[in-house]
Amino acid sequence: MRLPVKFIPQHTQRVGGVVGAAVFTLFGFAFMSSFLPAGAPAKGESFTQWLSGGANGMQLPMLLLGIAIVLCGVAVLTLALIDLLSGSPLHFLIVDRFGIRLHGLLGEKLVSWKDLGPIRPFRLGPLRGSRRYWIVSDTFSGEERSDIRRNLSSFTLRIPATAYLGSGWFTGGVGESIDDAAAWLESLRKLAREEALDPENAPDAPEALGTGLAIGAPAPEGKALEQKVFVTAAQEPDLPAMADRKFGRRDGPTIER
């Protein structure tokens, strides 16, 4: 495998994100609709009183909350559609000879191989659902660390394994492939620390992770870009030599008139 290589979340995971955002948006519409005024304002009733629902005064705050839910859902749905239809430009993982770059909605985090300790799988409780499986690592400090009862936020590197390894909308197939993916990243880390990582011939990624997208790959043989060749007048075979174009040869006498 040639490095750097880019991995994007599985198609099923991106479709699941769109479905979840759509359901959230529809819930927001239903919630907002339940607090809309039932009819026209009564005689002598102000617009604010009409929206607030009269004496109880709770209709307007709940209506504003429903509008906020709808706007949030529309924003999440828009980002999910961008990821689905545009090849996931917002969420991706890049592995190169320097380390791991994890790009998310809030920015990109770069972690160097030489700053990482052992890379390993990390499993949370089953109640976490699609957020249960992770590939994690600490900043290298030389000592062994126990992962029992550790918080996810305490790790330096946190890769959501379900997004890149899941074969279904939730956690299908992740439990069987997370060990292989973590072992592959750990093998790259060890090679990098030994200064033996060849970016042109790195170990292949496990099948569950896929081959990824090569970044900066050379153009395929036979498909190099065509270069424009500008031919000067002196190189044009159909034109006479420059010395013979005007009033005879230049080595003859000059006639003044």
Side-chain angles (χ1 to χ4, degrees):
M1 171 176 283
R2 183 180 183 277
L3 300 180
V5 63
K6 176 181 177 181
F7 299 97
I8 63 176
Q10 299 286 343
H11 182 75
T12 53
Q13 297 296 316
R14 288 179 281 148
V15 171
V18 172
V19 173
V23 171
F24 184 81
T25 305
L26 292 175
F27 168 78
F29 273 113
F31 183 85
M32 181 184 66
S33 300
S34 64
F35 290 97
L36 288 174
K43 186 176 180 180
E45 186 179 24
S46 67
F47 181 74
T48 304
Q49 291 175 337
W50 175 63
L51 281 180
S52 61
N56 57 24
M58 289 300 298
Q59 182 169 298
L60 181 58
M62 300 305 289
L63 180 60
L64 294 176
L65 177 61
I67 294 174
I69 293 175
V70 170
L71 293 177
C72 181
V74 170
V76 174
L77 180 60
T78 301
L79 296 176
L81 286 173
I82 291 174
D83 264 352
L84 176 64
L85 302 178
S86 303
S88 192
L90 303 176
H91 299 87
F92 54 84
L93 174 71
I94 295 179
V95 179
D96 58 26
R97 63 190 181 95
F98 301 105
I100 299 175
R101 283 185 282 165
L102 188 62
H103 193 282
L105 187 61
L106 300 180
E108 184 176 85
K109 182 177 183 179
L110 171 62
V111 185
S112 172
W113 295 120
K114 296 184 178 181
D115 292 335
L116 289 177
I119 301 175
R120 54 205 184 272
F122 185 66
R123 295 172 173 85
L124 297 173
L127 296 179
R128 295 295 187 99
S130 61
R131 306 284 291 178
R132 179 184 180 186
Y133 298 100
W134 296 81
I135 296 175
V136 299
S137 179
D138 298 300
T139 301
F140 184 75
S141 57
E143 75 274 6
E144 295 291 334
R145 297 188 180 184
S146 174
D147 296 338
I148 298 176
R149 295 184 178 180
R150 284 191 60 178
N151 293 325
L152 182 63
S153 59
S154 64
F155 294 97
T156 303
L157 174 67
R158 301 182 296 273
I159 301 175
T162 304
Y164 297 95
L165 301 173
S167 57
W169 286 9
F170 298 102
T171 58
V174 181
E176 297 80 9
S177 55
I178 185 174
D179 294 320
D180 293 337
W184 174 67
L185 292 174
E186 173 63 9
S187 68
L188 297 181
R189 185 193 72 89
K190 289 181 177 179
L191 290 173
R193 292 189 64 83
E194 297 170 357
E195 298 185 354
L197 179 58
D198 181 6
E200 299 295 331
N201 191 25
D204 291 334
E207 182 179 356
L209 193 56
T211 57
L213 305 172
I215 301 176
E221 187 176 353
K223 294 186 178 181
L225 297 177
E226 296 182 359
Q227 297 181 352
K228 294 183 178 180
V229 179
F230 297 92
V231 180
T232 62
Q235 295 172 325
E236 181 61 49
D238 296 335
L239 296 178
M242 183 63 70
D244 298 332
R245 291 186 187 179
K246 296 182 179 180
F247 310 107
R249 300 182 60 85
R250 287 189 177 182
D251 53 358
T254 302
I255 300 176
E256 296 183 0
R257 294 183 180 180

